[in-house]
C-alpha cells in the first residue's frame, strides 16, 4: 500500500494541475466574451426601460433620440437625469471632435453626459489655447514619441524646467540636476505631485485623426499612449490593431492608470460609471448577434 502512495499523489497533483488549467482557460474565455462584466456600475434599469419604450424626444431641441441627445448632450425625456450617475474626475478633459465624425456614433458624448462639469467637447478646427499651458496638459494619442502614463510626471517636470530656463535666458545658471535614471526621477516625491491639470483626446475615426493631430496648436503637448489596453468596441475599424480604443474607452482606461500610477491610490471603481452607456450598448449589440439565445435576450428586454 505504501509503495503505491507516491504514484497516487503524483496522479492527484497532475489532475489538480489540469483542473486549474481548465479553470484558468474558462475564466479567460469568459473575460474575453464579457470584458465589461466586473464594472462597478449604477443600476441600468432606466436604460432597460428606455430601450423597451423606444425613442423619445430631447427636451432641448425636440429631436427624437434613444437614451440621450447627441447634439445637446443631455438624456432624453424618458431617461430622467437624476437616474443617470455623475462621475467626479481628478482632472479636466478636452475632446477635439472631427467635423465629419457622426454624432450618433461618437462615444465621446458619454463622458460629457456622465461628467459634465469636467468634460468639454470642441469641434475642429475649434481648439482651446494650450500654448502657455503645455506643462500641465497632455494629449492621449499613440505614436513613436508617446510616453506611458507612468512617465507623465517626469516629462512634465522636464517641461517646467525647460520653460523656466527659457524665460530666464541665463545660460550660466544650470538646470535642476537630474537623477541618473528616469526611473529614479519617477519615484521622486516631487514627480509624484504631478502638475497635470488637463488631458486632451481626439474623437475621430483613425483615418481622420491625422488632420487634427498634426495641427500646430497641439504640437507642443506631451503625447501619451495607452499601450496595453485593448478595445471591445463593436465598431472596430478594419485593419487597425485592437489597441486602438474608442474615445470613451481611452478616457476610462487613462483615468484608471492615472489613478494608480500617478495618484498612487488603489482603484476601487471610481470611474467605472463612465462606461454606463457604453457597457449597456455593448450588451445590446452582443445580444443582437445571438438572436437564438433567449436567455441572453432577457438581459435587455
Amino acid at each position: 500500500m505504501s509503495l503505491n502512495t507516491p504514484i497516487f499523489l503524483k496522479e492527484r497533483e497532475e489532475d489538480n494541475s489540469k483542473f486549474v488549467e481548465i479553470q484558468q482557460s474558462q475564466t479567460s474565455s469568459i473575460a474575453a466574451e464579457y470584458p465589461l462584466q466586473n464594472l462597478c456600475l449604477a443600476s441600468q434599469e432606466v436604460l432597460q426601460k428606455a430601450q423597451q419604450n423606444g425613442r423619445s424626444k430631447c427636451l432641448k431641441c425636440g429631436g427624437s433620440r434613444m437614451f440621450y441627445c447627441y447634439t445637446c448632450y443631455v438624456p432624453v425625456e424618458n431617461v430622467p437625469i437624476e437616474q443617470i450617475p455623475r462621475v467626479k474626475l481628478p482632472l479636466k478633459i478636452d475632446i477635439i471632435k472631427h467635423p465629419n465624425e457622426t454624432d450618433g456614433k461618437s462615444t465621446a458624448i458619454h463622458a460629457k453626459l456622465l461628467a459634465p462639469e469636467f468634460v468639454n467637447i470642441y469641434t475642429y478646427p475649434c481648439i482651446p489655447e494650450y500654448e502657455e499651458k503645455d506643462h500641465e496638459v497632455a494629449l492621449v494619442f499613440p505614436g513613436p514619441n508617446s510616453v506611458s502614463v507612468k512617465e507623465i510626471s517626469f516629462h512634465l517636470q522636464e517641461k517646467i524646467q525647460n520653460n523656466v530656463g527659457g524665460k530666464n535666458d541665463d545660460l550660466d545658471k544650470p538646470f535642476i540636476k537630474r537623477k541618473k535614471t528616469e526611473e529614479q526621477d519617477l519615484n521622486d516625491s516631487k514627480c509624484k505631485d504631478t502638475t497635470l491639470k488637463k488631458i486632451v483626446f481626439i474623437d475621430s475615426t483613425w483615418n481622420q485623426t491625422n488632420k487634427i493631430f498634426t495641427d500646430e496648436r497641439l504640437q507642443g503637448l506631451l503625447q501619451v499612449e495607452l499601450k496595453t489596453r485593448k478595445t471591445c468596441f463593436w465598431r472596430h475599424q478594419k485593419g487597425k490593431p485592437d489597441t486602438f480604443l474608442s474615445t470613451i474607452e481611452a478616457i476610462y482606461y487613462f483615468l484608471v492608470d492615472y489613478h494608480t500610477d500617478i495618484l498612487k491610490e488603489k482603484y476601487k471603481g471610481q470611474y467605472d460609471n463612465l462606461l454606463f452607456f457604453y457597457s449597456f450598448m455593448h450588451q445590446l449589440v452582443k445580444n443582437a448577434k445571438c438572436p437564438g439565445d433567449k436567455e441572453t435576450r432577457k438581459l435587455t428586454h
Side-chain angles (χ1 to χ4, degrees):
M1 184 76 176
S2 60
L3 293 175
N4 294 329
T5 300
I7 297 175
F8 170 75
L9 291 175
K10 184 177 181 181
E11 290 178 347
R12 186 172 181 180
E13 288 176 358
E14 290 177 351
D15 290 340
N16 288 340
S17 178
K18 290 179 180 178
F19 177 73
V20 170
E21 287 180 4
I22 292 172
Q23 276 195 321
Q24 291 175 340
S25 177
Q26 290 176 341
T27 300
S28 299
S29 177
I30 292 172
E33 189 175 1
Y34 304 100
L36 307 174
Q37 65 175 343
N38 294 320
L39 297 173
C40 299
L41 297 173
S43 172
Q44 294 175 318
E45 184 179 358
V46 63
L47 300 183
Q48 294 170 356
K49 290 180 179 178
Q51 194 257 334
Q52 291 173 349
N53 295 331
R55 299 162 73 93
S56 65
K57 70 176 182 179
C58 169
L59 296 176
K60 282 192 173 183
C61 69
S64 176
R65 305 281 190 264
M66 177 67 80
F67 304 131
Y68 55 82
C69 179
Y70 44 75
T71 52
C72 301
Y73 308 148
V74 294
V76 292
E77 187 176 27
N78 65 359
V79 180
I81 194 168
E82 62 272 13
Q83 295 185 37
I84 300 300
R86 287 292 182 94
V87 185
K88 184 177 180 180
L89 306 183
L91 39 68
K92 298 288 186 178
I93 291 176
D94 282 351
I95 300 172
I96 314 299
K97 189 172 76 71
H98 194 283
N100 294 336
E101 176 73 1
T102 304
D103 290 339
K105 294 182 178 181
S106 172
T107 63
I109 297 164
H110 300 178
K112 182 64 177 175
L113 286 161
L114 298 162
E117 298 90 352
F118 298 90
V119 178
N120 286 308
I121 299 179
Y122 302 89
T123 301
Y124 188 82
C126 180
I127 294 181
E129 183 58 60
Y130 301 122
E131 186 176 357
E132 298 298 322
K133 300 179 181 179
D134 64 348
H135 60 285
E136 58 187 35
V137 181
L139 170 68
V140 173
F141 197 84
N145 298 320
S146 62
V147 304
S148 68
V149 175
K150 284 184 178 180
E151 298 170 312
I152 289 176
S153 294
F154 170 77
H155 288 281
L156 289 182
Q157 288 290 333
E158 267 198 334
K159 278 183 174 289
I160 292 174
Q161 293 170 17
N162 292 337
N163 287 343
V164 170
K167 289 178 182 178
N168 289 338
D169 287 330
D170 190 347
L171 298 179
D172 293 330
K173 289 185 178 181
F175 291 142
I176 298 172
K177 291 183 179 179
R178 298 176 182 175
K179 299 291 183 181
K180 291 182 180 180
T181 65
E182 185 172 305
E183 183 178 352
Q184 288 174 322
D185 256 332
L186 289 172
N187 292 328
D188 193 330
S189 61
K190 291 182 180 179
C191 288
K192 290 179 182 178
D193 298 328
T194 177
T195 56
L196 185 65
K197 295 182 180 178
K198 183 174 289 186
I199 190 74
V200 181
F201 295 85
I202 296 175
D203 184 43
S204 169
T205 62
W206 285 102
N207 291 332
Q208 296 174 333
T209 54
N210 193 58
K211 184 176 182 180
I212 299 177
F213 173 66
T214 56
D215 190 290
E216 62 180 7
R217 292 170 290 180
L218 298 179
Q219 294 310 295
L221 299 183
L222 178 66
Q223 195 176 327
V224 181
E225 183 174 357
L226 307 172
K227 301 179 181 179
T228 61
R229 302 296 190 172
K230 295 184 178 181
T231 184
C232 61
F233 194 33
W234 50 91
R235 294 195 191 95
H236 181 64
Q237 296 176 50
K238 188 176 180 180
K240 302 299 181 183
D242 56 7
T243 52
F244 280 24
L245 308 172
S246 67
T247 304
I248 193 63
E249 285 178 313
I251 292 172
Y252 170 73
Y253 286 128
F254 171 84
L255 290 171
V256 172
D257 290 347
Y258 178 86
H259 193 86
T260 55
D261 295 337
I262 302 297
L263 300 183
K264 303 296 182 183
E265 296 178 13
K266 185 176 181 180
Y267 183 68
K268 299 180 180 179
Q270 291 90 332
Y271 317 121
D272 282 10
N273 273 320
L274 285 174
L275 300 178
F276 180 74
F277 291 104
Y278 184 83
S279 62
F280 186 79
M281 292 178 180
H282 181 274
Q283 186 65 55
L284 286 179
V285 172
K286 180 180 179 299
N287 292 347
K289 292 180 179 179
C290 306
D293 190 344
K294 293 182 180 180
E295 292 301 318
T296 302
R297 286 209 303 263
K298 287 180 182 179
L299 292 174
T300 55
H301 290 282

